[in-house]
């Protein structure tokens, strides 16, 4: 289980902050982005922002930090990198994806989307999709080839492993990244309720099945996304696990994955 925000030791947080400041000064710099806090810690920041009306000072106090704390800033930076929050002034605002995760904390589809928002993690997933990951030294070696400073590969690997576990990528295998399957949208509902509902409203597609498609199959992922839309003329609620807000949040994450922004100097722009 990943440690809570309150359980992170101050000496370790100070060391991580120092390493990050050294990067910023140019003594060494990783060329690819990765978080200095794991996905579980980023989720704690996101939930606090949602519960504390986006007030960054209240969020910091709720998590046991001051707003100027290096450890707190690292967690906020990680939440931003996972695509869960945005900052501005004294505001810490959950993104559409972050808000949907808070409202649907068990949604593995959304957690997987957050995990793959991290450029380094997406590169690892693309490299080893469907194949066992190498040993620790092999993962760190690959991270180094992608631009992680050699002094940071051990830290980056450990945070990557914790985040992948939180997102459900190791649910099927401890050494292979597998996109987690979503739980059925109406699991646990009594059969009688389903039958009663089917007699009064037309059946409509649930948002959940789209997550059962492997993210590597980009065409199938898009197909599943649009198959999740309700039929024309049917009612579609705004909130809830099947609401249009969640569909939009999922669509944004899918489009970012299927149509990544070109890297600078890639020559892909017309």
């Amino acid at each position: 289980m990943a440690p809570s925000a309150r359980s992170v030791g101050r000496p370790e947080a100070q060391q991580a902050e120092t390493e990050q400041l050294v990067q910023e000064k140019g003594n060494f710099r990783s060329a690819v982005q990765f978080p200095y806090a794991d996905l579980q810690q980023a989720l704690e920041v996101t939930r606090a922002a949602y519960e504390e009306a986006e007030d960054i000072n209240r969020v910091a106090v709720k998590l046991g930090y001051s707003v100027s704390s290096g450890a707190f800033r690292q967690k906020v930076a990680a939440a931003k990198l996972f695509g869960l929050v945005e900052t501005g002034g004294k505001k810490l605002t959950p993104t559409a994806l972050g808000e949907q995760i808070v409202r649907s904390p068990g949604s593995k589809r959304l957690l997987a989307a957050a995990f793959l928002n991290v450029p380094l993690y997406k590169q690892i997933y693309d490299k080893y999709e469907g194949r066992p990951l190498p040993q620790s030294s092999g993962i760190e070696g690959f991270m180094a080839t992608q631009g992680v400073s050699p002094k940071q590969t051990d830290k980056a690997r450990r945070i990557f492993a914790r985040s992948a576990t939180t997102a459900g990528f190791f649910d099927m295998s401890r050494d292979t990244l597998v996109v987690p399957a979503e739980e059925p949208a109406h699991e646990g509902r009594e059969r009688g309720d389903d039958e009663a509902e089917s007699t009064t409203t037309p059946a409509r597609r649930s948002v959940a099945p789209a997550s059962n498609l492997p993210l590597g199959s980009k065409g199938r992922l898009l197909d599943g996304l649009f198959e999740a839309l309700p039929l024309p003329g049917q009612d579609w609620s705004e909130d809830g696990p099947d609401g249009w807000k969640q569909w939009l949040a999922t669509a944004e994450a899918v489009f970012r994955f299927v149509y990544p922004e070109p890297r600078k100097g890639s020559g892909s722009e017309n």
Side-chain angles (χ1 to χ4, degrees):
M1 180 179 296
S4 67
R6 294 180 183 273
S7 67
V8 177
R10 289 300 187 272
E12 180 181 347
Q14 291 172 355
Q15 179 182 0
E17 180 184 9
T18 300
E19 291 171 350
Q20 192 168 18
L21 290 175
V22 171
Q23 276 191 309
E24 293 171 356
K25 291 179 180 179
N27 290 6
F28 59 86
R29 180 181 296 275
S30 293
V32 64
Q33 289 184 299
F34 65 93
Y36 280 75
D38 59 42
L39 178 57
Q40 182 62 42
Q41 294 168 326
L43 292 172
E44 291 171 357
V45 171
T46 308
R47 282 193 291 269
Y50 182 83
E51 294 169 357
E52 299 302 328
E54 306 175 9
D55 186 317
I56 194 168
N57 293 295
R58 292 179 61 86
V59 172
V61 172
K62 185 180 183 70
L63 296 177
Y65 300 105
S66 69
V67 73
S68 60
S69 162
F72 176 66
R73 287 185 292 164
Q74 284 182 358
K75 290 177 174 60
V76 171
K80 290 177 65 177
L81 196 54
F82 282 112
L84 302 177
V85 299
E86 297 174 341
T87 56
K90 295 183 179 181
K91 289 289 187 179
L92 186 60
T93 307
T95 62
L97 176 61
E99 184 174 334
Q100 288 302 319
I101 288 178
V102 171
R103 293 186 175 188
S104 305
S107 175
K108 294 183 178 180
R109 177 187 66 253
L110 298 177
L111 292 175
F115 177 84
L116 291 171
N117 276 336
V118 177
L120 177 62
Y121 298 173
K122 183 176 181 298
Q123 290 171 358
I124 296 173
Y125 177 82
D126 289 343
K127 172 71 173 179
Y128 295 105
E129 179 187 0
R131 297 187 289 134
L133 294 170
Q135 297 298 318
S136 297
S137 59
I139 296 177
E140 292 179 20
F142 177 75
M143 287 179 169
T145 66
Q146 299 305 301
V148 177
S149 165
K151 295 183 179 181
Q152 295 295 313
T153 53
D154 177 67
K155 178 184 296 295
R157 174 186 56 79
R158 288 186 284 111
I159 295 173
F160 159 78
R162 294 199 300 267
S163 299
T165 299
T166 297
F169 279 84
F170 290 138
D171 285 356
M172 291 190 65
S173 171
R174 292 303 304 169
D175 64 356
T176 304
L177 292 173
V178 180
V179 177
E182 188 68 270
E183 296 294 330
H186 300 294
E187 185 175 10
R189 180 178 293 179
E190 296 182 2
R191 182 178 179 183
D193 292 342
D194 287 337
E195 291 175 349
E197 181 179 358
S198 65
T199 61
T200 57
T201 60
R204 82 169 181 86
R205 305 180 184 94
S206 168
V207 176
S211 65
N212 294 330
L213 301 171
L215 291 180
S217 304
K218 297 183 177 180
R220 291 183 59 200
L221 183 61
L222 289 171
D223 288 343
L225 177 67
F226 287 102
E227 286 177 1
L229 289 169
L231 299 174
Q234 290 186 349
D235 293 335
W236 195 5
S237 63
E238 178 177 352
D239 299 311
D242 290 339
W244 59 260
K245 278 189 175 180
Q246 178 158 326
W247 187 91
L248 289 175
T250 305
E252 180 181 4
V254 169
F255 292 155
R256 288 182 183 277
F257 178 74
V258 176
Y259 305 108
E261 294 184 4
R263 295 182 179 180
K264 293 182 179 180
S266 64
S268 60
E269 295 182 358
N270 293 328

